[in-house]
Amino acid sequence: MTTQDVGIVATQYFQSTQPLPLASGACLPEFTVAYETYGTLNAARDNAILLLHALSGDAHAAGLHHPNDRKPGWWDAMVGPGRAFDTDQFFVICSNVLGGCKGSTGPTSRNPQRQQRWASDFPVITIADMVNAQVQLIDSLGITQLHAVAGGSMGGFQAVEWMAHHAERVQTAVLFATSASSQAQAIAWNVIGRQAIMRDPKWMNGWYDPSEPPCDGLAVARMIGHITYLSDQSLQGRFDHRYQQGVTPRYTLAEEFTIESYLGYQALRFNERFDANSYLYITKAMDYWDVTTGYASLAQALAAWQKPTLVLSFDSDWLYPTAESQKIVTALHHTGADVTFRELSSPAGHDAFLIESDLQNPIVRQFLLKHR
Amino acid sequence: MTTQDVGIVATQYFQSTQPLPLASGACLPEFTVAYETYGTLNAARDNAILLLHALSGDAHAAGLHHPNDRKPGWWDAMVGPGRAFDTDQFFVICSNVLGGCKGSTGPTSRNPQRQQRWASDFPVITIADMVNAQVQLIDSLGITQLHAVAGGSMGGFQAVEWMAHHAERVQTAVLFATSASSQAQAIAWNVIGRQAIMRDPKWMNGWYDPSEPPCDGLAVARMIGHITYLSDQSLQGRFDHRYQQGVTPRYTLAEEFTIESYLGYQALRFNERFDANSYLYITKAMDYWDVTTGYASLAQALAAWQKPTLVLSFDSDWLYPTAESQKIVTALHHTGADVTFRELSSPAGHDAFLIESDLQNPIVRQFLLKHR
């Protein structure tokens, strides 16, 4: 099947002047959700799919903002005519999470009560808070029920939250490389990333000048994250023991191995596009994530969800390993949901859900069309 | 069998005024090796075992320095009468590595040519350089041939280096949780740890005031290391999702999870005992480690070694996984060495070699006595 790109798209903004109550008991006095849409909402308003992004994602899932853009949106290979999220069939929505720095309200936004940016006065948020903001977004679009929610990693957390607490608003769900609760090792990596940022003297308790952010701390945090997203095998294949210059070592404390320059480059690019406080708030929301909180079991937490569900994991993903997906599958067997589970084989590690579109497209496409 | 502690011990110092040529082509004009010994060298001078420490270890492998010491040496449970390294049978030696900060020459030592400490003028060193300094130490003790070399992790690197390039000086070898070359993921963690230190403004290109070291960078480096030493499973069992205070979250950017306070505590203790520049030099030596450099294969590199060898790995060790030990075992089958290989079952991850003395003691003890 030939597929097509979605072309030029623009980010839109949903602005609420109503307060948003948060899980912590605090309240956001007003909030904005940045979002993009691809395809057309049908007359019945029942063909919408909400894509949910991971830690470093944003609303720009597909297409280009400008014809000269170097890269399309983060899930472009999955969105468009003939692709999994087929814009000839579906109205695809993607919004930036609350706490983010790509247009939705977060620590870089203006605090209306103080007439300055929120910085570390921003309240701690949760995955449930992110989803509550998304519910208001789809309300504003006149959508009563989504055909699907779909997301990987932290995007999958949000999808599971929709399943657990907004089951009546969703018809099907697609989970990629995710978990129903954050595990200790994943929390630990986030903790260390936050420590790197908060120990950077430029962090200044969150009140850094936006022109002089704690870029060294964020760089180290990103490097840690990056290694957890790749498999041991793929790292070894790409970098092995190779030197940047020639085949013999220079015996220097400076950059020597290709993996060193690669990580340095990744960190630099990340600093260009991400805010350090957002990184703190979003990773903390991830660490609090446990959909079973307040329930006797995961099956209890998901009791309201009896809809078709596609669960995909990757055999080389050690950050959210297959065992985490299997817990969700087992719980859904208890609720009586119609679950399809596939562990896909890929050397790409956790990042596979962003990369392995050839593997994912036919499976996800078939699932979504079958339950149309 | 009842076993005994080795009691009170003192660190000793071997000082060489002869230059030590290094793999890089540079030369240390003079050097000191701090070491400890347990047990008695026999008249034939053939009962010595050299213990080789890992990244954060030192010469103090066993016993107490003072009766009031809070903790004994790092491998105390393996050293003493009735234990694996039986001081009734063997003369056990452990020395601090070159580049270290516990008495052997390293970046905190005085540079005799500049009359100030070496800091980042210290030359980059390798595992081979560390072993060359150890060779001079045993020469100074009048030991022609060691009964055994034994070490885990980076200690195992040194043991493999002894096997490859000083085979005539060693009778047997015991390797724990180690590898014949650093793999890309292990290098990456070290790279990120070094980045954390070198991006700390207090590092000052290595010329920090010893009273104001880059403790935040070293803290982050240690936290990263610490998580790689533990298994996913042990972290989950010990920390899960637990909060430090009570059973409900406080929703704060500050410390919340027990894993956060644990990592903070570990980092604090590490800063009390370790030098940031030493961390840079030793991890760089680890990253350069590849005993096959200059050989067609690992079997070629180990061709001179045809002695009894015990190789132990741990099933939950993901930093130096069993597959790395198996490469050594396969190569030794080619050389015709008498190899015993055991993958031990432990939830302790890479740290198992420091912790699982009950598992290790009988196996190692039997091996060493059998080949006495």
Side-chain angles (χ1 to χ4, degrees):
Chain A
M1 172 175 292
T2 57
T3 68
Q4 277 178 265
D5 296 325
V6 298
I8 303 297
V9 296
T11 306
Q12 301 169 70
Y13 299 89
F14 162 64
Q15 291 182 292
S16 169
T17 52
Q18 298 301 306
L20 183 72
L22 302 172
S24 64
C27 208
L28 274 180
E30 60 181 35
F31 68 99
T32 298
V33 175
Y35 69 100
E36 295 189 6
T37 69
Y38 322 99
T40 309
L41 186 60
N42 64 10
R45 306 183 95 75
D46 67 357
N47 71 331
I49 294 177
L50 182 64
L51 305 184
L52 304 155
H53 71 73
L55 167 54
S56 64
D58 53 32
H60 186 38
L64 302 173
H65 285 159
H66 306 287
N68 297 335
D69 280 358
R70 210 171 41 86
K71 287 199 298 188
W74 58 272
W75 230 359
D76 187 75
M78 298 282 289
V79 181
R83 296 180 186 163
F85 305 110
D86 190 331
T87 49
D88 285 345
Q89 306 272 344
F90 300 112
F91 177 62
V92 180
I93 310 164
C94 185
S95 67
N96 185 216
V97 295
L98 207 65
C101 51
K102 296 306 199 64
S104 290
T105 297
T108 59
S109 307
R110 198 182 60 95
N111 175 353
Q113 291 161 339
R114 303 271 304 267
Q115 301 301 325
Q116 59 180 350
R117 78 208 154 86
W118 278 103
S120 45
D121 280 346
F122 194 71
V124 165
I125 50 160
T126 66
I127 300 296
D129 296 331
M130 294 175 182
V131 168
N132 284 334
Q134 290 158 5
V135 169
Q136 298 209 24
L137 167 66
I138 68 154
D139 282 346
S140 78
L141 297 171
I143 296 165
T144 307
Q145 198 172 51
L146 292 162
H147 177 59
V149 290
S153 194
M154 188 187 80
F157 297 0
Q158 297 160 62
V160 172
E161 176 65 22
W162 274 94
M163 291 160 63
H165 299 125
H166 306 278
E168 75 289 355
R169 305 292 302 265
V170 187
Q171 201 51 43
T172 65
V174 189
L175 311 180
F176 302 75
T178 195
S179 173
S181 64
S182 284
Q183 302 295 296
Q185 197 191 62
I187 295 175
W189 297 124
N190 283 341
V191 166
I192 303 173
R194 287 197 296 274
Q195 283 290 318
I197 293 168
M198 296 167 82
R199 286 170 183 263
D200 185 330
K202 288 188 181 160
W203 182 58
M204 298 174 72
N205 290 313
W207 294 97
Y208 49 85
D209 183 327
S211 71
E212 205 168 344
C215 48
D216 289 310
L218 185 60
V220 170
R222 178 59 170 176
M223 290 180 189
I224 295 169
H226 207 80
I227 296 301
T228 68
Y229 307 149
L230 302 176
S231 73
D232 189 9
Q233 179 190 349
S234 66
L235 267 175
Q236 185 64 19
R238 284 165 74 177
F239 302 105
D240 192 8
H241 216 264
R242 277 191 288 282
Y243 303 117
Q244 250 179 282
Q245 301 181 9
V247 293
T248 52
R250 293 178 300 137
Y251 297 109
T252 169
L253 281 190
E255 273 187 9
E256 173 84 287
F257 300 99
T258 51
I259 181 71
E260 293 191 276
S261 49
Y262 173 78
L263 285 171
Y265 175 80
Q266 293 295 332
L268 203 63
R269 299 308 301 254
F270 194 63
N271 261 295
E272 290 166 5
R273 69 180 179 87
F274 217 83
D275 172 63
N277 280 336
S278 261
Y279 200 87
L280 300 180
Y281 280 94
I282 296 176
T283 58
K284 199 92 193 200
M286 294 175 75
D287 292 352
Y288 282 120
W289 169 242
D290 183 356
V291 78
T292 65
T293 302
Y295 298 93
S297 68
L298 181 52
Q300 286 287 321
L302 292 171
W305 182 261
Q306 284 141 19
K307 314 274 182 82
T309 315
L310 175 61
V311 180
L312 300 178
S313 72
F314 294 91
D315 58 358
S316 63
D317 181 355
W318 58 278
L319 187 62
Y320 298 100
T322 291
E324 292 303 299
S325 289
Q326 277 168 331
K327 288 181 195 169
I328 298 171
V329 171
T330 303
L332 291 178
H333 283 148
H334 281 282
T335 70
D338 169 13
V339 197
T340 306
F341 170 55
R342 292 281 299 275
E343 183 189 54
L344 302 177
S345 187
S346 161
H350 183 58
D351 264 355
F353 84 93
L354 294 170
I355 292 167
E356 297 286 9
S357 46
D358 287 350
L359 276 179
Q360 294 175 149
N361 261 323
I363 300 168
V364 176
R365 181 176 169 80
Q366 186 189 22
F367 172 83
L368 291 171
L369 292 177
K370 177 180 168 192
H371 297 288
R372 180 79 185 89
Chain B
M1 171 174 294
T2 57
T3 69
Q4 277 178 265
D5 296 326
V6 298
I8 303 297
V9 296
T11 306
Q12 301 170 71
Y13 299 89
F14 162 64
Q15 291 182 292
S16 169
T17 53
Q18 297 301 307
L20 183 73
L22 303 172
S24 64
C27 207
L28 274 180
E30 60 181 35
F31 68 99
T32 298
V33 175
Y35 68 100
E36 295 189 6
T37 69
Y38 322 99
T40 309
L41 186 61
N42 62 11
R45 307 184 95 77
D46 68 356
N47 71 329
I49 294 177
L50 181 63
L51 305 184
L52 304 154
H53 72 71
L55 167 54
S56 65
D58 53 32
H60 186 38
L64 302 173
H65 285 158
H66 306 286
N68 297 335
D69 279 358
R70 210 170 43 86
K71 287 199 298 187
W74 57 271
W75 229 359
D76 187 75
M78 298 282 289
V79 181
R83 295 180 186 162
F85 304 110
D86 190 330
T87 49
D88 285 345
Q89 307 272 344
F90 300 110
F91 177 62
V92 180
I93 310 164
C94 185
S95 67
N96 185 216
V97 294
L98 208 66
C101 51
K102 297 306 199 62
S104 291
T105 297
T108 59
S109 306
R110 196 181 61 94
N111 175 352
Q113 292 162 338
R114 303 271 305 264
Q115 302 301 326
Q116 58 179 349
R117 76 206 155 89
W118 278 103
S120 45
D121 280 347
F122 194 72
V124 165
I125 50 159
T126 66
I127 300 295
D129 296 330
M130 294 176 183
V131 168
N132 284 334
Q134 291 157 5
V135 169
Q136 298 210 24
L137 167 66
I138 68 154
D139 282 345
S140 78
L141 296 172
I143 296 165
T144 307
Q145 197 173 52
L146 292 163
H147 177 59
V149 290
S153 194
M154 188 187 80
F157 297 0
Q158 297 161 63
V160 172
E161 176 66 22
W162 274 95
M163 292 160 62
H165 299 124
H166 306 277
E168 75 289 355
R169 306 291 303 264
V170 187
Q171 202 51 43
T172 65
V174 190
L175 312 180
F176 303 76
T178 196
S179 173
S181 64
S182 284
Q183 302 296 295
Q185 197 191 62
I187 295 174
W189 297 124
N190 283 341
V191 166
I192 303 173
R194 287 197 296 275
Q195 284 291 319
I197 293 168
M198 295 167 83
R199 287 170 183 262
D200 186 330
K202 288 188 182 159
W203 181 59
M204 298 175 71
N205 289 312
W207 293 98
Y208 48 86
D209 183 328
S211 70
E212 206 168 343
C215 48
D216 288 310
L218 185 60
V220 170
R222 177 60 169 176
M223 290 180 188
I224 295 168
H226 207 81
I227 296 302
T228 68
Y229 307 149
L230 302 176
S231 73
D232 189 9
Q233 178 191 349
S234 66
L235 267 176
Q236 185 64 20
R238 283 165 75 177
F239 302 105
D240 192 8
H241 216 264
R242 277 190 288 283
Y243 303 118
Q244 250 179 283
Q245 302 181 8
V247 293
T248 52
R250 293 178 300 136
Y251 297 108
T252 168
L253 281 190
E255 273 188 8
E256 173 84 288
F257 300 99
T258 50
I259 181 72
E260 293 190 278
S261 49
Y262 173 79
L263 285 171
Y265 174 80
Q266 294 295 332
L268 203 61
R269 298 308 302 255
F270 194 64
N271 261 295
E272 290 165 6
R273 69 180 179 87
F274 218 83
D275 172 62
N277 280 337
S278 260
Y279 200 88
L280 300 180
Y281 280 93
I282 296 176
T283 58
K284 199 90 194 200
M286 294 176 75
D287 292 352
Y288 282 120
W289 169 242
D290 182 357
V291 78
T292 65
T293 302
Y295 298 93
S297 67
L298 180 53
Q300 286 287 320
L302 292 171
W305 182 260
Q306 283 141 19
K307 314 274 182 83
T309 315
L310 175 61
V311 180
L312 300 178
S313 72
F314 294 91
D315 58 359
S316 62
D317 182 354
W318 58 277
L319 187 61
Y320 297 100
T322 291
E324 292 303 300
S325 288
Q326 277 168 331
K327 288 181 194 168
I328 298 172
V329 171
T330 303
L332 291 178
H333 283 149
H334 281 281
T335 71
D338 169 14
V339 197
T340 307
F341 169 55
R342 292 280 299 276
E343 183 190 53
L344 302 177
S345 186
S346 161
H350 183 59
D351 264 354
F353 85 93
L354 293 169
I355 292 167
E356 297 286 10
S357 46
D358 288 349
L359 276 179
Q360 294 175 150
N361 261 323
I363 300 168
V364 176
R365 181 176 169 81
Q366 187 190 21
F367 172 84
L368 291 172
L369 293 178
K370 178 179 167 192
H371 297 288
R372 181 79 186 88

